[in-house]
Amino acid sequence: MKCPGQDWRYWKPGDIFNAKCPECGGNVEFFKDEVRRKCRCGHLLTNPKLDFGCAAWCPYAEQCIGTVPSEVRERQKTEQETSLKERISLEMKKFFGKDLKRVNHAVKVARYAEQIVKIEGGNPLVILGAAYLHDIGAPRAEARSEEWKGDRDLYLQAQESEGVPIAKEILQRLNLKEEEIDEICDLIGHHHHPRERETLNFQILYEADWLVHIEEKEIFRDRKAVEAILERSIRTESGRHLVEKLYLLE
């Protein structure tokens, strides 16, 4: 049986198209399943519309399309990660429902985390997945108020432990890789309690959470308290720059 993607009988208008050569500006005709074509000027173009989605699951993909160009693989990886981050964000919003305070907190933490990860590095999917879901255990922890009875640290521990199974179920449903699920759940499971030695992924989440807490808890009104947080908890250059820019500039 011929692959439907390669069978011309299933092709649609637009499956044969022209792409502009970046070197000479001329048109280069592509069939949708072609990986590369050479322009008359000699420049080798990669098909800008090529979709290797089937290569992720089809056992005959390599025979069908050959080696996937590295730039296309990188583009697809980025697109897949973006889609997963958006779906995690949506699951968080569905879980919290009308609790807009928690939704907004998670979104703000994710925004700061994204700013830091772009400069410092780290795994964006792990960091942003944890940012969106880090407080997912809060409602269940609050329901256990008799156990922590006003002890803030016991409440935070309950929030961490309750969040792990909820986050794991969401991430498994979204088909993340097992190692990504494990790391996101690990970050959630101690996000208020850094260990003696921490990963960059944890540090970025921790700093992003503090950046939001300084605003939401109005810690910014006490300059010395902000300086203490900066000294004690903020390690990355990007995180320190954000704290200083947002809360310490006169």
Side-chain angles (χ1 to χ4, degrees):
M1 176 182 174
K2 191 172 185 179
C3 169
Q6 305 297 308
D7 193 330
W8 284 25
R9 292 176 300 170
Y10 297 95
W11 284 25
K12 303 178 184 68
D15 287 343
I16 301 174
F17 61 93
N18 288 327
K20 194 170 289 292
C21 175
E23 292 294 318
C24 70
N27 288 325
V28 179
E29 185 181 66
F30 273 101
F31 288 14
K32 71 168 187 176
D33 57 350
E34 289 180 305
V35 178
R36 291 189 177 94
R37 264 207 171 182
K38 186 176 285 188
C39 178
R40 283 176 294 182
C41 73
H43 182 72
L44 191 64
L45 280 77
T46 298
N47 184 341
K49 296 185 179 180
L50 197 59
D51 181 5
F52 289 102
C54 61
W57 54 267
C58 179
Y60 304 104
E62 192 164 327
Q63 299 171 32
C64 176
I65 60 178
T67 303
V68 179
S70 59
E71 65 268 28
V72 177
R73 284 190 184 277
E74 191 60 34
R75 186 187 73 213
Q76 286 192 314
K77 180 183 176 185
T78 301
E79 289 172 352
Q80 183 184 35
E81 286 186 352
T82 300
S83 174
L84 283 171
K85 286 181 284 188
E86 290 172 351
R87 290 165 67 193
I88 294 169
S89 172
L90 180 61
E91 289 295 327
M92 175 273 293
K93 292 171 184 174
K94 285 164 59 179
F95 181 86
F96 284 135
K98 295 180 180 179
D99 190 347
L100 296 183
K101 183 177 178 181
R102 287 209 171 92
V103 170
N104 290 334
H105 174 81
V107 169
K108 286 188 285 187
V109 171
R111 284 176 183 164
Y112 281 130
E114 191 163 25
Q115 289 182 54
I116 298 172
V117 77
K118 283 178 180 177
I119 299 171
E120 301 292 340
N123 185 321
L125 179 58
V126 167
I127 295 166
L128 292 180
Y132 282 123
L133 301 178
H134 71 286
D135 283 345
I136 207 81
R140 291 187 184 176
E142 288 177 355
R144 292 168 48 189
S145 60
E146 283 300 311
E147 296 177 32
W148 46 272
K149 294 180 180 177
D151 186 317
R152 177 71 178 168
D153 195 56
L154 286 179
Y155 163 69
L156 294 178
Q157 290 178 44
Q159 184 191 101
E160 291 167 341
S161 62
E162 289 286 0
V164 170
I166 301 171
K168 188 169 187 177
E169 188 276 328
I170 289 171
L171 297 170
Q172 286 176 334
R173 187 156 25 92
L174 295 179
N175 294 317
L176 268 73
K177 296 176 182 176
E178 201 62 40
E179 59 268 26
E180 292 168 339
I181 294 174
D182 288 344
E183 185 171 4
I184 291 172
C185 288
D186 178 64
L187 299 188
I188 292 169
H190 74 291
H191 70 274
H192 289 296
H193 298 92
R195 296 163 183 154
E196 189 173 341
R197 300 184 68 178
E198 277 298 351
T199 64
L200 177 61
N201 291 342
F202 176 90
Q203 187 62 35
I204 292 173
L205 171 66
Y206 189 59
E207 293 181 8
D209 202 18
W210 264 120
L211 279 159
V212 179
H213 281 307
I214 292 171
E215 173 201 341
E216 292 180 343
K217 297 181 184 298
E218 298 189 350
I219 300 170
F220 64 86
R221 296 184 183 280
D222 184 341
R223 184 180 181 88
K224 288 185 178 179
V226 175
E227 289 173 344
I229 291 168
L230 181 65
E231 180 65 28
R232 181 181 67 247
S233 301
I234 311 300
R235 298 282 179 268
T236 69
E237 286 299 317
S238 304
R240 295 182 68 84
H241 173 73
L242 281 168
V243 171
E244 290 168 353
K245 175 184 174 183
L246 292 168
Y247 305 119
L248 292 176
L249 288 181
E250 295 292 348

